[in-house]
């Protein structure tokens, strides 16, 4: 099925089997192996990408559902040699071990910053009517859709805190 | 995944007419439940009708002072909506307790209502399951029992609805508005949208295959406090062991039945002046299941009713 999809700023016209997940299109069709496949069932967050600026699990979406959409993967975050502030924060805080979950963590954190800027609440938000303050509890809850089997959570928390400071 | 035909609906009529002529076809909204089950080949629809871009995502006040939420509003959009946050905080809280942000960004109101059980044996195609394969037996009867029904189950199936959102919707007396290809519009209470399993656990709801949910409507929030709580095996990103939503004098229990369970016995007891603990005990008197699980739900219900009264729950 013919589908036009913009990935990291480049338009691709692809002919895909409707069964192809967005994740498989990115990794196998477009050879963008940065986005990882962990569980393939929405349970780990390794496949997190941004679609029209919003983070989703690419494993639970079909490529054909994204005709006309703009997707950003971890490969699309840096500007040339200049890393995205979230990528830089993950390096500075040493926020990974094996690195398998890291592209998903980074895309997730980029989405998180936009959500906080838009004032979207989370389960950790005490006052639903008030503004959102990005406490550690808020970061942990908002990043809970990304599992790290190396358990680099303290450093991931620090990296997101650092990136949020840079963004503020 | 089995092959299927994919069609994007141009408008509601197109979606309905496709559904009416395609036996076994399914509507596709966010896909976070349907595609998961299709990968496991537990669902094998020959055709998917993508309704994801239909203009059914508005959240607007109704003339009667309530709220109408389009079926394609994402879970994130509903929980972030200022009207929901200020007037129906228990609903915002219930939604925010479900899945992860990534899932909620994709999941829709209609899909959340219609999602299938997450009974581990239903999701394991190698295990007998009357819901998946009628007559094959129920593996859960002698299996892991942490998330089994306490109310309304049958010998055939003891699975629970995993939807957190619908528990709060039931406490708000929400109604789902649907439409079929012949133009008929129906209003179905969210509380009873899902059938109890009885002899036919393979049938989740009374909706016809060509019946599309357009919106849910909430009446004005009732007088009194609201509260929500979900208990689960880890701090976030997992399904409920049990949940409770309270809105005014209405109480709904989650993950204890095949549908969100309105605790009518507890509500009646409260109306007669019972304490929260007495009201919770009155509801649990008719529960069937493990004592530990009953005790958990009884304590949780009493706590959340108390919180709603003290106005500290939302
Ligand atoms: C790892 C994981 C954890 C989760 N944890 C939770 C949790 O803690 N709490 C919770 O509540 N949920 C949880 N979920 C489930 C999630 O909330 C649902 O998958 C989601 O709400 C489904 O919405 P959707 O739009 O993606 O539905 P889809 O997958 O698109 O559709 C689901 C079903 O609804 C039907 N449907 C969709 N829209 C309509 C409509 N308008 N009219 C009629 N039928 C329709 C479809 O045909 C399909 O049968 C979890 C899911 C995953 C994968
Ligand atoms: S409880 Fe229901 S869904 Fe679970 S195994 Fe038994 S029949 Fe299947
Ligand atoms: S690979 Fe998508 S959530 Fe695990
Ligand atoms: S760094 Fe190894 S899984 Fe997270």
């Amino acid at each position: 099925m013919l589908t036009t999809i913009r990935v990291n700023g480049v338009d691709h016209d692809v002919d895909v089997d409707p069964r192809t997940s967005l994740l498989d299109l990115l990794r196998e069709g477009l050879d963008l192996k940065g986005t990882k496949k962990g569980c393939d069932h929405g349970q780990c967050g390794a496949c997190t990408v941004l679609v029209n600026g919003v983070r989703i699990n690419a494993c639970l979406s079909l490529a054909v559902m994204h005709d006309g959409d703009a997707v950003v993967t971890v490969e699309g975050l840096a500007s040339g040699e200049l890393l995205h502030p979230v990528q830089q924060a993950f390096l500075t805080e040493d926020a990974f071990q094996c690195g398998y979950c890291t592209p998903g963590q980074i895309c997730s954190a980029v989405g998180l910053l936009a959500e906080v800027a838009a004032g979207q609440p989370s389960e950790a938000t005490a006052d639903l009517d008030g503004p959102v303050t990005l406490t550690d509890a808020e970061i942990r809850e908002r990043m809970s859709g990304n599992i790290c089997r190396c358990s680099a959570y303290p450093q991931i928390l620090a990296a997101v805190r650092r990136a949020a400071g840079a963004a503020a | 995944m089995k092959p299927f035909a994919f069609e994007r609906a141009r408008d509601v009529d197109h979606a309905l007419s496709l559904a009416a002529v395609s036996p076994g076809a399914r509507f596709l909204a966010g896909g976070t439940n349907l595609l998961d089950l299709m990968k496991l080949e537990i669902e094998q629809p020959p055709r998917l009708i993508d309704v994801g871009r239909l203009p059914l995502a508005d959240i607007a006040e109704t003339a009667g002072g309530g709220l109408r939420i389009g079926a394609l509003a994402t879970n994130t959009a509903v929980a972030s909506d200022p009207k929901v946050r200020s007037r129906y905080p228990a609903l915002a809280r219930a939604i925010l307790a479900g899945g992860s942000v990534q899932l909620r960004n994709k999941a829709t109101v209609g899909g959340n209502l219609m999602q299938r059980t997450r009974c581990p044996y239903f999701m394991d195609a190698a295990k007998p399951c009357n819901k998946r394969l009628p007559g094959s037996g129920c593996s859960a009867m002698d299996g892991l029992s942490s998330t089994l029904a306490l109310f309304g189950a049958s010998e055939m199936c003891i699975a629970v609805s995993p939807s957190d959102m619908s528990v709060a919707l039931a406490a708000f007396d929400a109604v789902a508005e649907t439409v079929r290809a012949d133009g008929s519009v129906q209003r179905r209470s969210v509380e009873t949208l899902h059938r109890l399993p009885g002899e036919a656990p393979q049938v989740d709801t009374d909706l016809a295959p060509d019946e599309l949910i357009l919106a849910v409507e909430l009446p004005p929030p009732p007088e009194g406090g609201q509260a929500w709580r979900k208990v689960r095996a880890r701090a976030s990103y997992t399904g409920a062991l049990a949940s409770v939503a309270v809105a005014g004098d209405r109480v709904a229990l989650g993950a204890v039945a095949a549908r969100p369970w309105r605790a009518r016995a507890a509500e009646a007891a409260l109306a007669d002046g019972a304490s929260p603990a007495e009201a919770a005990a009155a509801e649990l008197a008719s529960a069937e299941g493990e004592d530990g699980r009953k005790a958990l739900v009884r304590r949780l219900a009493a706590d959340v009713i108390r919180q709603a009264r003290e106005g500290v729950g939302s």
Side-chain angles (χ1 to χ4, degrees):
Chain A
M1 191 172 178
L2 272 181
T3 300
T4 302
I5 186 164
R6 171 170 286 223
V7 181
N8 299 331
V10 180
D11 284 328
H12 297 269
D13 294 312
V14 288
D15 192 7
V16 289
D17 183 315
R19 289 174 290 181
T20 313
S21 68
L22 175 61
L23 176 59
D24 285 345
L25 171 69
L26 293 170
R27 288 181 54 84
E28 310 198 354
L30 303 179
D31 204 28
L32 292 165
K33 300 269 168 51
T35 309
K36 297 293 184 271
K37 184 183 283 191
C39 63
D40 214 19
H41 287 281
Q43 298 169 2
C44 77
C47 64
T48 304
V49 297
L50 300 154
V51 173
N52 304 329
V54 174
R55 55 175 160 161
I56 66 161
N57 299 119
C59 69
L60 286 188
S61 211
L62 297 173
V64 290
M65 292 163 76
H66 294 286
D67 191 43
D69 282 349
V71 180
V72 172
T73 69
V74 72
E75 290 94 340
L77 290 176
S79 326
E81 292 296 298
L82 184 69
L83 291 181
H84 187 283
V86 173
Q87 291 174 305
Q88 186 57 56
F90 269 68
L91 276 178
T92 307
E93 297 292 347
D94 205 10
F96 43 84
Q97 289 189 46
C98 77
Y100 199 82
C101 71
T102 313
Q105 301 276 4
I106 289 175
C107 286
S108 202
V110 172
L112 176 157
L113 295 178
E115 289 154 7
V116 171
Q120 294 178 4
S122 86
E123 205 183 358
T125 308
D127 176 9
L128 285 180
D129 278 327
V132 175
T133 321
L134 202 55
T135 60
D136 285 359
E138 281 275 11
I139 296 175
R140 281 200 194 90
E141 166 54 26
R142 289 167 189 268
M143 290 297 289
S144 69
N146 293 81
I147 307 287
C148 175
R149 65 189 167 173
C150 301
S151 212
Y153 297 113
Q155 293 80 7
I156 294 169
L157 170 66
V160 178
R161 198 195 292 126
R162 174 181 289 274
Chain B
M1 205 186 278
K2 300 281 193 225
F4 55 85
F6 179 91
E7 217 112 16
R8 171 168 301 147
R10 289 187 301 272
D11 51 39
V12 170
D13 285 346
H14 185 217
L16 297 175
S17 57
L18 284 171
V21 298
S22 328
R26 303 294 286 274
F27 297 121
L28 177 69
T32 60
N33 184 230
L34 184 52
L35 297 174
D36 193 2
L37 294 173
M38 286 171 66
K39 287 184 180 191
L40 298 166
E41 301 195 350
I42 287 166
E43 299 265 20
Q44 306 184 358
R47 177 180 240 171
L48 288 184
I49 304 162
D50 184 0
V51 295
R53 298 189 185 188
L54 297 183
L56 298 172
D58 283 355
I59 305 174
E61 268 165 56
T62 60
L67 203 61
R68 182 179 169 92
I69 303 175
L72 286 161
T74 64
N75 285 350
T76 293
V78 179
S80 302
D81 185 88
K83 301 180 285 295
V84 175
R85 286 157 71 174
S86 66
R87 299 182 63 212
Y88 303 90
L91 174 60
R93 294 257 176 233
I95 291 173
L96 291 170
S100 65
V101 184
Q102 288 96 316
L103 289 163
R104 295 195 296 273
N105 283 345
K106 197 93 187 318
T108 64
V109 167
N112 192 316
L113 283 177
M114 294 295 284
Q115 65 174 304
R116 306 208 67 189
T117 184
R118 298 186 77 82
C119 169
Y121 305 102
F122 172 75
M123 296 187 75
D124 179 348
K127 297 287 196 315
C129 167
N130 286 326
K131 191 184 264 304
R132 182 165 28 76
L133 192 64
S136 62
C138 170
S139 302
M141 291 281 178
D142 300 310
L144 294 170
S145 58
S146 60
T147 55
L148 301 180
L150 293 177
F151 301 98
S154 74
E155 291 291 301
M156 304 289 280
C157 179
I158 50 178
V160 302
S161 158
S163 168
D164 294 317
M165 178 192 76
S166 67
V167 183
L169 288 178
F172 285 114
D173 271 337
V175 166
E177 186 183 286
T178 67
V179 63
R180 293 189 61 183
D182 62 10
S184 58
V185 172
Q186 290 221 37
R187 293 170 63 83
R188 300 175 181 277
S189 155
V190 169
E191 178 192 353
T192 52
L193 194 67
H194 283 259
R195 291 189 180 190
L196 295 176
E199 294 296 308
Q202 69 275 15
V203 187
D204 284 1
T205 72
D206 290 332
L207 262 67
D210 67 345
E211 193 167 344
L212 182 72
I213 302 174
L214 294 173
V216 294
E217 273 192 22
L218 287 78
E223 298 276 323
Q226 298 178 21
W228 158 265
R229 221 157 104 202
K230 169 176 172 179
V231 183
R232 61 202 123 167
R234 52 187 200 218
S236 184
Y237 197 14
T238 194
L241 297 173
S243 67
V244 180
V246 177
D249 51 15
R250 302 196 291 251
V251 182
L253 310 180
V256 297
R259 53 169 63 147
W261 192 259
R262 268 293 283 277
R264 307 271 176 197
E267 291 175 13
L270 289 172
D272 285 342
S275 70
E278 289 163 348
E283 189 64 36
L284 270 293
S286 68
E288 282 184 54
E290 254 180 30
D291 286 344
R293 197 157 150 63
K294 288 192 222 171
L296 169 79
V297 176
R298 190 177 60 238
R299 281 182 44 192
L300 185 67
D303 281 355
V304 182
I305 295 168
R306 207 172 295 121
Q307 279 175 19
R309 293 189 162 188
E310 291 162 4
V312 295
S314 288

